Amino acid sequence: MNICVIGPGYVGLVTAACFAEMGNEVICVSRNEEKVNNLNNGVIPIYEPGLEVLVEKNLKDARLQFTTSLEEGVKNSLFIFIAVATPPDEDGSADLAHVIEVAKRIGRCLDAYRVIVNKSTVPVGTAEKVRDAIWSELEKRGIDLEFDVVSNPEFLKEGDAINDFMKPDRIVVGTDNIRTAELIKELYAPFAREREKLIVMDVRSAEMTKYAANAMLATKISFMNEMANICERVGADVSMVRKGIGSDHRIGYHFIYPGVGYGGSCFPKDVQALIATSKESGYKSKILTTVEEVNAAQKKVLAQKIIDYFQHKGGLNGKTVAVWGLAFKPNTDDMREAPSIDIIRRLTNEGARIQAHDPEAIKEAKRVFGKNPNVVYFDNHYDALKDANCMALITEWFLYRNPDFERTKRLLKSPVVFDGRNQYSPKEMERLGFEYFSIGR
């Protein structure tokens, strides 16, 4: 099938590459000429395991191409995926400016029946706005054409997006048109060979499903962080509590790991957008508001532990903190809303010097922190430890799971570890001679 994907960002690039991998002819459109040239040369602007190989392969096989011409994409494709950014507005609601602008541009060059698919994460009612924007442009041209607007939210985890797209748990499609549903079903058939994964519903419910899914996952994280804070105060071990409740199949083990709070491009933005949507509808979402408040507070917990520890040792001013992990989660270079940002800024405000390492996010960290002389970066995680007064683990990369603790102890000025992800055993760390601090235990 012929597919056009507008917006080669994280979602758009993964969508385009995976559809091309299944034998479809895919045109990916961006206004950014430099980005298009780089992509056509196999230069990927983001780090996502497996994506670069997939893009290069399908470029070579001529199933995937990148262009600045939206008209070329629209006129040569049956399916037009809108995958542009929907950043949070000042009030937390999703900014639809890019989505509506793309819809207008589609309306200016539409020449036959097309299925327009909203892949961007958008508030309830956006499909109607997209439809109206396209109709408005068609009316200006004096043309009456049939087209459909479908909601098809993405459920991709950064760091495992290729696998999520290729082997989805479900494929949610919002449409009231039976014919369109069958077309989408045919498009996604290669991804649902083992069982039926397509869930067809009305458009508004499909739009809501994406927000509800991310809000539920964010709620589980904030709930477990709240349990960790209570455990710490009453002398319980949140790791044991997690095992105790996770064994209940109604709860499960996913997303109940305590830590330094959630970040990234989805959970913070989508929780805020759903809160804004509920306000617009006249309803105050107490749970979601609390989820956001708990997460904001949790990002301060690890830094406060470090500040409190050094308060009795002359304060943090002039001290060096080695930081392992900058990305908001492993297997990505994404630092949007990353807890590391809040933690590092709080520590440097107290006068600390940061020696940071991350397998993929150093380039992005340099952009985030700018020319801050108190934040320096190392390509090797052990080098970041040298002469530091303590180490803080923020992102649970595999690389940090089982380090050489004797080497770690030798490199640090003092054997002090603040574990923001509860990666290590308190008893083992004590046996090895470390002062060890974690979350909720």
Side-chain angles (χ1 to χ4, degrees):
M1 292 186 173
N2 294 325
I3 301 167
C4 171
V5 177
I6 303 170
Y10 178 79
V11 172
L13 202 51
V14 171
T15 299
C18 290
F19 273 134
E21 180 68 8
M22 288 301 181
N24 298 288
E25 303 291 326
V26 183
I27 298 175
C28 201
V29 180
S30 173
R31 276 182 162 175
N32 188 323
E33 189 172 351
E34 182 182 0
K35 188 174 189 177
V36 167
N37 291 335
N38 286 337
L39 286 166
N40 277 321
N41 288 312
V43 179
I44 309 300
I46 58 172
Y47 174 74
E48 177 63 37
L51 182 59
E52 185 175 357
V53 173
L54 215 58
V55 170
E56 287 180 353
K57 177 185 175 184
N58 286 283
L59 278 170
K60 183 180 178 182
D61 294 341
R63 288 192 299 272
L64 176 63
Q65 61 174 299
F66 298 91
T67 181
T68 57
S69 174
L70 185 138
E71 184 175 0
E72 178 187 355
V74 170
K75 290 192 174 183
N76 288 286
S77 306
L78 173 60
F79 298 97
I80 303 166
F81 282 79
I82 300 176
V84 295
T86 53
D89 217 331
E90 290 181 4
D91 62 354
S93 63
D95 184 349
L96 297 178
H98 298 304
V99 172
I100 301 305
E101 174 58 26
V102 165
K104 290 178 179 178
R105 291 172 64 201
I106 290 171
R108 291 169 195 150
C109 59
L110 201 65
D111 62 350
Y113 174 77
R114 298 289 185 266
V115 179
I116 291 87
V117 185
N118 269 339
K119 201 70 174 171
S120 300
T121 300
V122 293
V124 175
T126 300
E128 294 161 21
K129 294 178 180 178
V130 168
R131 188 180 293 110
D132 289 345
I134 295 173
W135 267 123
S136 176
E137 294 301 321
L138 289 175
E139 286 177 351
K140 290 177 184 177
R141 295 165 59 197
I143 296 175
D144 184 10
L145 285 175
E146 183 185 4
F147 65 92
D148 282 308
V149 178
V150 173
S151 174
N152 175 218
E154 53 85 13
F155 300 98
L156 306 177
K157 298 187 298 291
E158 290 195 45
D160 198 26
I162 302 299
N163 186 59
D164 285 343
F165 199 101
M166 292 295 197
K167 300 175 182 178
D169 294 324
R170 76 288 206 196
I171 301 163
V172 173
V173 176
T175 181
D176 298 317
N177 189 314
I178 295 174
R179 180 187 64 175
T180 305
E182 287 301 315
L183 286 171
I184 295 288
K185 183 176 182 179
E186 185 181 351
L187 175 65
Y188 275 108
F191 304 96
R193 294 174 64 86
E194 294 181 359
R195 61 177 174 84
E196 181 57 62
K197 297 181 180 181
L198 202 74
I199 303 173
V200 180
M201 59 185 74
D202 63 277
V203 176
R204 284 180 168 249
S205 295
E207 291 170 334
M208 184 66 180
T209 296
K210 167 64 176 180
Y211 281 118
N214 280 350
M216 172 60 81
L217 297 175
T219 299
K220 291 184 75 173
I221 294 170
S222 281
F223 173 84
M224 208 61 205
N225 282 330
E226 188 127 283
M227 292 303 102
N229 295 332
I230 296 172
C231 283
E232 198 165 303
R233 286 158 176 78
V234 301
D237 185 338
V238 74
S239 297
M240 295 297 103
V241 174
R242 184 187 66 80
K243 291 179 181 178
I245 66 173
S247 59
D248 186 330
H249 71 274
R250 295 170 302 174
I251 299 172
Y253 290 105
H254 295 297
F255 288 87
I256 59 168
Y257 288 88
V260 290
Y262 60 76
S265 63
C266 294
F267 289 2
K269 175 174 71 72
D270 293 352
V271 169
Q272 290 171 13
L274 192 49
I275 290 171
T277 295
S278 69
K279 284 181 180 177
E280 289 172 10
S281 69
Y283 179 79
K284 182 179 180 181
S285 176
K286 296 178 182 178
I287 290 178
L288 294 181
T289 300
T290 302
V291 165
E292 189 177 35
E293 290 173 354
V294 168
N295 190 62
Q298 196 66 22
K299 289 182 177 183
K300 301 175 182 177
V301 169
L302 193 69
Q304 192 61 52
K305 286 178 180 285
I306 297 171
I307 291 168
D308 290 345
Y309 175 83
F310 284 102
Q311 185 177 2
H312 306 293
K313 299 179 182 296
L316 258 182
N317 190 35
K319 301 293 194 303
T320 299
V321 179
V323 168
W324 279 4
L326 298 167
F328 87 93
K329 64 179 288 188
N331 296 321
T332 181
D333 59 355
D334 194 345
M335 285 188 62
R336 285 173 287 184
E337 302 286 340
S340 64
I341 298 173
D342 297 73
I343 294 167
I344 288 173
R345 284 179 176 162
R346 179 84 190 280
L347 296 178
T348 54
N349 285 342
E350 293 288 329
R353 181 177 184 270
I354 305 298
Q355 296 182 171
H357 174 269
D358 189 282
E360 296 294 338
I362 288 178
K363 181 180 178 181
E364 180 63 13
K366 288 179 178 178
R367 186 192 67 79
V368 170
F369 295 112
K371 296 181 180 180
N372 188 333
N374 292 318
V375 183
V376 295
Y377 307 93
F378 293 84
D379 293 330
N380 183 284
H381 59 302
Y382 289 113
D383 290 343
L385 299 174
K386 190 175 181 182
D387 295 328
N389 297 95
C390 69
M391 184 269 277
L393 188 149
I394 299 177
T395 312
E396 65 277 31
W397 286 89
F398 284 162
L399 180 67
Y400 308 143
R401 291 279 178 92
N402 190 27
D404 184 336
F405 286 112
E406 289 300 328
R407 185 180 179 185
T408 297
K409 194 159 62 171
R410 287 196 306 271
L411 289 167
L412 289 169
K413 266 187 181 178
S414 306
V416 183
V417 171
F418 293 88
D419 183 356
R421 297 294 183 176
N422 289 2
Q423 293 293 288
Y424 310 131
S425 162
K427 288 183 178 180
E428 182 64 12
M429 294 299 283
E430 183 181 353
R431 185 189 70 78
L432 290 168
F434 285 92
E435 285 190 82
Y436 177 72
F437 305 87
S438 55
I439 304 293
R441 53 184 190 172

